[in-house]
Amino acid sequence: MRYFYPSSTNPVINIKRPFKEWSFARLLFLVGTPLVGLVMFMVIVSTYRIASHYLGRAYARNAHTRTLAQAHEIEQLLIEARYEVLNLGQSDLSAQAIQTYMMGKPLNKRNCYAEIAFHGVDPEQNFLLVNTGEQIWRVPADQVAKIKFNTFARKEKIEGKVENFVQIDEPTQVYYTSVPYLGSVENMEFSVIRLSTPIMDQNKVFLGYLTLSLDIREVQQIMTLYLSRQSPLYIFPQEKERMTGFFFDTAGWLICESGLVSTGQAHVSVDNIRTGLQGDVGRPGFSSAFRPNPQYEKYWTVISDVQAGRNGELQFPYFRNIFESVNGDYYLYYVPIRFQEEAERSPVIIGGIGCIDGSFMYKSARYEIATALAISWLVAILLTLGAFFFLNRRITKPVTMLTQAVEGIVNQNTSKSLEISPLPRELFFLQRAINIILLQLQAARNETRIRQSRVHEERDRQPVRLEEIIIQNDVAPTQDDEALANIVGSSGAIQNLRTMIKKAASVMADVLVIGETGTGKELTAEAIHRASPQARGPFISVNCGALDENLLLDVLFGHVKGAFSDAKTDRRGAFVSASGGTLLLDEIGNASPKVQQALLRALAVRTIRPLGSDTDIPFDARVIAATNVDLLECSKAGTFREDLYFRLAVITIATPPLRQRKEDIPALVHYFINNQARAIGRQSMKLSRGALDKLLKYEWPGNVREVQNCITRALAFADGEVLLAEHFDLGKEGEPHTPLEPEITGEHFVPMAARTLTKKPVDEAIPKAKEITDALLNARQQRAWPHILAAGGTNRATYQEIVEESISVRTAQYDLQDLVKKGLLLKKGRGPASRYVLAQ
């Protein structure tokens, strides 16, 4: 069949041109109508999302309102209890009068309270009344003391004895035995919240405390009522009621949960809510309480909000396995419970209530909305589906092909051109233009890469004037006195350190210097000495970690001639030798308990007794202790005396790590380059910009000492007059350089030295590695090494057991530190918790 078209549409519908070369304008003109289906789909989706959002907010607000209503009812219950205890306090306080008053109240009002007690100044006036349900029974005086957690056993916390002040206590469980009930004698358990108020006579003389105990079952019944169909806020039936309420205190203990009103007397428990949860069961005074572990972050978020007085809601897919299905939407609503102890004071928060809503009402409503909108959309889409599918496939397929081809060429950075055919006419011209742009882009990219490479290489090799950089960074060294000349840098941390040094030097007090390894603790001690009035006196440094116990005691306190077989002459000891000056005790954390005890006595009485002498010798020296461990943590672990710590830490100075003051690196590098160049007999060298950038990016785990060693190594191996980036071997990704890098090959540990022998198969390299490893280790280390390999690491105590020799703690630590220096082990942790693992 032939078709004839009006002349006005011929330019648009030209059937002589191949269909695959039609323009987008022709395609849109012929199939534009089906786009209405797409627009309707977008409108329907948007409508569904908006409706679902506001429906969810409405449902959440309704459930939140229900929780707020529960909190309000519980607070009203507490207010009534407050008025009740104040009213009782202003009436006749005899036990018989209170019994008569309580029995005259309606049953539902009377059963709100479980205990009434008066704890008077005069013990003869004390009484304890218990509500058994049928009567107000007075507990005999001889039984009161036997009752655990009774009102008289607790310590009153009311301060000031203010009138009209009511104190509320945390929930408590109390047990009574031999209680008359319905003609028999039974044991009764009560879970109560106690309210106490001070009692004054007409002359404002304090008489005692009156306590009224509110039964927690009343709180449970309020939660149960508001979560049931008998709730005053009940709207309409749901598919299935899936709501659970619970009451908790401010410490996170779950006290009770909602129960069934129809069962009569609800029992206080949290068995349902804690199903599947892990935590602590029972706290003093409330054995059925439960507190979840800290792993339940959402629960503890609720506790934090309630402690801050905030209410809110949380949505989560699965909180605990109390429900049959895990596919529902669960909401947790929580509100704090407040109590007004005194009119002039702000209310206190005693706990909170939570409501877990797992019903399907919200999801069901969303399903109904989605169903209605889906049916509407399907009706429209069935009318336009064919044309929409054709239009989408016809337009997007060539565009997608072209886009993917362009992205592939750009990502692969090749000079390949686009060759996609057939394409619509517009895309064909676009492809040709893209090919031209790609060629130009590739040429520009290559030229730019070459230029940038040259510029960066030239820039990195250009020497920098460290003096100008120091001035620009405003970290130029200040003109301090000569005592602080070796404290390089002017960052905020260094300025604070200089200030602390000057203040410590101005007083004659012992000083504790703490800081990481290589941060300049000994320089700090020397600066304190030089800046002090004792600068002309001697400065003696003793490393407590480098000597064994007996030798260290001899070095510190000395001996007299004949004290032992090798004591040919007297020895003064470091304390006496440092008189008039300063004594530095380095690595004080490694001192043995015996040395610590001797140091404590010496610091306390400022006298020492040399070995073999019966005479105490006074000394006049400032004692400075330095350590890189936390002595307080060591004291808690039992490895360092706490009293010695407080003797040493009269003044505590912390040396900052280099990673916290990187602005001082240019000044440190400039200082060390000049000093080390003079030390090795070379002229002062310059630093390249690339080397400086590399030094600034490094984290410097070895701190200033690592900077000094790094500069020394670079100066030793540099050939020219400029230190380049390749002269500094700082490791990878901020890790320190390890001269002996271990490698794991199969089940064998092969040091780096074995890898440098030759590129042989693993079976040939392992014997060589074993020979080198044995050559690196001493006899004790060789004996322990197979066990360390099998366990993947060790610690100091295990090492001593493996060696099976009576070696001291210092010897074991020396062997392990030696393995670390050789790159075979890595140390993790500090103090007694230190562990040595295989280097990776």
Side-chain angles (χ1 to χ4, degrees):
M1 180 181 296
R2 299 183 63 184
Y3 294 90
F4 298 93
Y5 303 96
S7 58
S8 59
T9 58
N10 279 337
V12 176
I13 305 176
N14 188 355
I15 61 175
K16 294 181 180 180
R17 183 179 298 276
F19 180 76
K20 292 185 178 181
E21 295 182 7
W22 280 13
S23 66
F24 290 133
R26 292 193 179 96
L27 291 173
L28 292 175
F29 178 81
L30 294 177
V31 295
T33 303
L35 291 180
V36 176
L38 179 60
V39 174
M40 289 188 62
F41 175 78
M42 297 175 62
V43 171
I44 288 174
V45 171
S46 300
T47 303
Y48 170 76
R49 292 190 176 184
I50 293 173
S52 298
H53 172 74
Y54 286 103
L55 178 65
R57 296 309 304 159
Y59 180 77
R61 290 174 182 174
N62 176 55
H64 202 173
T65 301
R66 181 168 48 207
T67 309
L68 288 170
Q70 297 178 51
H72 176 74
E73 286 297 323
I74 295 173
E75 291 177 354
Q76 289 299 118
L77 182 65
L78 294 173
I79 291 175
E80 292 178 7
R82 182 179 187 276
Y83 289 153
E84 190 69 48
V85 70
L86 291 176
N87 182 44
L88 289 173
Q90 296 175 359
S91 60
D92 186 1
L93 288 179
S94 64
Q96 183 177 2
I98 293 180
Q99 286 176 316
T100 303
Y101 171 79
M102 294 302 295
M103 291 302 296
K105 296 179 70 67
L107 182 62
N108 61 334
K109 295 292 184 181
R110 184 176 71 222
N111 288 339
C112 291
Y113 310 107
E115 299 173 317
I116 306 174
F118 179 73
H119 190 185
V121 176
D122 184 5
E124 297 296 328
Q125 297 179 356
N126 293 352
F127 63 85
L128 174 60
L129 305 178
V130 176
N131 184 3
T132 64
E134 65 174 357
Q135 65 173 339
I136 305 298
W137 175 62
R138 180 171 183 174
V139 181
D142 57 343
Q143 295 185 15
V144 172
K146 301 177 182 179
I147 300 172
K148 193 175 182 181
F149 302 113
N150 64 73
T151 57
F152 298 152
R154 66 192 182 92
K155 296 182 179 179
E156 298 294 340
K157 300 179 181 179
I158 302 177
E159 300 177 358
K161 303 177 182 178
V162 183
E163 290 184 285
N164 296 327
F165 176 83
V166 178
Q167 173 185 285
I168 187 168
D169 294 336
E170 61 182 7
T172 306
Q173 282 183 336
V174 61
Y175 304 87
Y176 293 93
T177 59
S178 303
V179 179
Y181 182 70
L182 297 179
S184 62
V185 177
E186 296 185 3
N187 298 331
M188 290 190 175
E189 171 189 336
F190 296 94
S191 299
V192 297
I193 300 176
R194 288 170 174 161
L195 289 80
S196 302
T197 183
I199 304 301
M200 308 284 185
D201 62 7
Q202 295 179 354
N203 297 324
K204 306 300 181 182
V205 177
F206 177 72
L207 299 179
Y209 301 99
L210 179 64
T211 301
L212 179 64
S213 299
L214 176 66
D215 198 334
I216 292 182
R217 291 180 299 180
E218 296 297 317
V219 176
Q220 183 184 25
Q221 290 179 2
I222 290 176
M223 293 190 297
T224 304
L225 174 63
Y226 274 84
L227 297 179
S228 66
R229 297 192 177 188
Q230 288 76 32
S231 170
L233 302 180
Y234 186 75
I235 301 177
F236 55 88
Q238 302 179 17
E239 176 189 2
K240 184 177 181 181
E241 302 294 339
R242 295 173 178 267
M243 291 176 288
T244 303
F246 56 94
F247 172 69
F248 55 91
D249 61 13
T250 54
W253 289 95
L254 295 170
I255 303 301
C256 66
E257 64 182 357
S258 59
L260 297 176
V261 178
S262 59
T263 59
Q265 184 175 352
H267 298 281
V268 174
S269 70
V270 290
D271 295 336
N272 189 30
I273 194 71
R274 72 185 181 97
T275 301
L277 300 179
Q278 297 179 355
D280 301 324
V281 179
R283 66 161 171 80
F286 212 101
S287 60
S288 64
F290 176 78
R291 180 166 63 183
N293 285 338
Q295 68 190 48
Y296 303 103
E297 298 179 358
K298 290 185 178 294
Y299 175 79
W300 289 104
T301 299
V302 172
I303 298 301
S304 299
D305 286 348
V306 169
Q307 291 173 349
R310 296 189 295 268
N311 56 57
E313 62 181 89
L314 290 175
Q315 181 180 6
F316 46 88
Y318 188 53
F319 177 61
R320 56 191 178 89
N321 56 358
I322 188 173
F323 303 116
E324 294 81 8
S325 172
V326 298
N327 297 321
D329 292 328
Y330 299 104
Y331 294 86
L332 171 61
Y333 307 92
Y334 54 93
V335 179
I337 302 298
R338 296 177 173 86
F339 178 76
Q340 188 80 33
E341 291 184 332
E342 189 177 6
E344 292 76 13
R345 298 184 181 179
S346 301
V348 297
I349 297 175
I350 66 170
I353 61 170
C355 177
I356 298 178
D357 189 348
S359 61
F360 289 95
M361 185 180 72
Y362 171 57
K363 177 174 284 190
S364 177
R366 287 194 303 171
Y367 286 162
E368 292 177 1
I369 294 175
T371 301
L373 293 176
I375 293 174
S376 301
W377 178 77
L378 286 174
V379 171
I381 207 65
L382 287 175
L383 300 176
T384 57
L385 183 59
F388 174 77
F389 177 79
F390 173 81
L391 178 64
N392 179 68
R393 186 174 181 83
R394 182 67 188 89
I395 295 179
T396 59
K397 184 176 180 179
V399 174
T400 303
M401 293 171 55
L402 186 62
T403 303
Q404 292 176 351
V406 173
E407 291 177 351
I409 292 175
V410 173
N411 293 335
Q412 295 175 5
N413 193 19
T414 63
S415 58
K416 182 180 177 181
S417 61
L418 293 175
E419 295 294 341
I420 301 177
S421 180
L423 286 176
R425 188 174 182 83
E426 290 84 354
L427 292 183
F428 176 77
F429 292 125
L430 178 61
Q431 177 180 256
R432 188 170 63 180
I434 290 175
N435 285 331
I436 297 174
I437 295 174
L438 287 175
L439 292 175
Q440 296 177 349
L441 177 62
Q442 185 64 30
R445 180 182 293 175
N446 293 336
E447 184 178 356
T448 302
R449 185 184 297 110
I450 294 173
R451 289 181 179 179
Q452 289 180 348
S453 177
R454 292 176 179 174
V455 170
H456 290 165
E457 183 178 357
E458 184 65 24
R459 176 188 176 275
D460 289 344
R461 290 184 172 273
Q462 288 180 353
V464 295
R465 295 182 61 84
L466 292 176
E467 299 87 349
E468 297 179 357
I469 295 178
I470 294 171
I471 296 175
Q472 292 175 1
N473 293 337
D474 195 22
V475 293
T478 57
Q479 296 297 327
D480 271 326
D481 50 12
E482 185 179 355
L484 305 180
N486 290 335
I487 307 298
V488 179
S490 295
S491 62
I494 290 298
Q495 292 295 344
N496 293 336
L497 178 61
R498 287 196 178 99
T499 301
M500 292 294 294
I501 290 174
K502 292 178 180 179
K503 292 182 178 179
S506 63
V507 295
M508 187 60 181
D510 296 335
V511 180
L512 176 63
V513 182
I514 59 176
E516 298 179 6
T517 301
T519 54
K521 298 185 290 296
E522 186 170 355
L523 285 178
T524 301
E526 292 178 359
I528 295 174
H529 171 72
R530 289 196 298 268
S532 67
Q534 295 81 20
R536 295 183 177 274
F539 177 84
I540 298 177
S541 176
V542 178
N543 191 326
C544 299
L547 304 174
D548 61 18
E549 182 180 279
N550 294 327
L551 182 57
L552 180 58
L553 288 172
D554 188 49
V555 169
L556 291 175
F557 303 104
H559 62 261
V560 297
K561 181 179 179 181
F564 49 89
S565 58
D566 292 333
K568 305 300 182 182
T569 58
D570 292 344
R571 183 173 185 175
R572 301 178 64 193
F575 275 97
V576 176
S577 299
S579 292
T582 303
L583 173 61
L584 171 62
L585 301 177
D586 200 4
E587 297 187 21
I588 188 66
N590 293 331
S592 66
K594 184 177 180 181
V595 174
Q596 294 178 27
Q597 183 178 4
L599 289 175
L600 178 63
R601 180 185 180 278
L603 293 176
V605 301
R606 290 290 167 174
T607 61
I608 59 104
R609 179 175 295 178
L611 181 63
S613 174
D614 296 330
T615 304
D616 289 340
I617 301 176
F619 68 90
D620 180 21
R622 180 204 300 268
V623 177
I624 300 178
T627 180
N628 60 354
V629 298
D630 191 341
L631 296 183
L632 278 180
E633 292 295 329
C634 293
S635 66
K636 294 178 182 178
T639 59
F640 196 84
R641 296 180 62 106
E642 185 177 12
D643 47 3
L644 177 58
Y645 168 78
F646 289 111
R647 282 286 182 183
L648 294 172
V650 178
I651 298 176
T652 302
I653 297 178
T655 56
L658 187 56
R659 61 180 176 273
Q660 296 179 1
R661 55 182 189 100
K662 286 191 174 183
E663 60 269 30
D664 288 335
I665 290 179
L668 288 169
V669 172
H670 182 261
Y671 176 82
F672 287 131
I673 286 178
N674 292 335
N675 286 359
Q676 298 300 326
R678 288 193 299 268
I680 64 177
R682 296 189 61 170
Q683 295 182 353
S684 180
M685 300 184 67
K686 298 180 180 180
L687 187 72
S688 69
R689 188 175 302 275
L692 179 60
D693 293 341
K694 186 175 183 179
L695 296 178
L696 290 174
K697 293 178 181 178
Y698 188 54
E699 290 300 323
W700 298 108
N703 295 297
V704 180
R705 184 180 293 120
E706 186 178 3
V707 177
Q708 182 180 6
N709 295 339
C710 184
I711 296 298
T712 303
R713 182 167 57 249
L715 289 173
F717 290 98
D719 296 328
E721 297 182 355
V722 179
L723 294 177
L724 304 177
E726 53 264 26
H727 291 146
F728 297 93
D729 188 4
L730 303 179
K732 298 180 179 180
E733 298 183 357
E735 294 187 359
H737 171 70
T738 304
L740 186 61
E741 183 184 356
E743 182 183 45
I744 302 298
T745 305
E747 297 180 354
H748 300 275
F749 182 82
V750 183
M752 186 175 182
R755 286 179 271 157
T756 60
L757 296 174
T758 179
K759 295 184 178 178
K760 296 182 179 181
V762 176
D763 295 339
E764 299 180 13
I766 289 175
K768 292 291 184 180
K770 186 176 185 308
E771 294 176 5
I772 294 176
T773 302
D774 292 342
L776 293 173
L777 308 181
N778 58 36
R780 295 186 302 274
Q781 293 170 339
Q782 291 179 11
R783 189 179 307 117
W785 185 247
H787 300 276
I788 297 175
L789 283 179
T794 186
N795 55 28
R796 190 262 307 159
T798 305
Y799 183 83
Q800 289 179 284
E801 295 176 0
I802 294 174
V803 174
E804 298 181 354
E805 293 182 0
S806 299
I807 62 173
S808 65
V809 175
R810 298 296 180 272
T811 303
Q813 289 179 344
Y814 173 81
D815 287 351
L816 292 172
Q817 289 292 342
D818 183 58
L819 292 174
V820 172
K821 293 179 180 178
K822 293 174 179 176
L824 301 177
L825 295 179
L826 292 177
K827 182 179 179 181
K828 293 187 177 181
R830 292 183 177 180
S834 298
R835 180 167 178 81
Y836 300 84
V837 299
L838 292 176
Q840 298 298 325

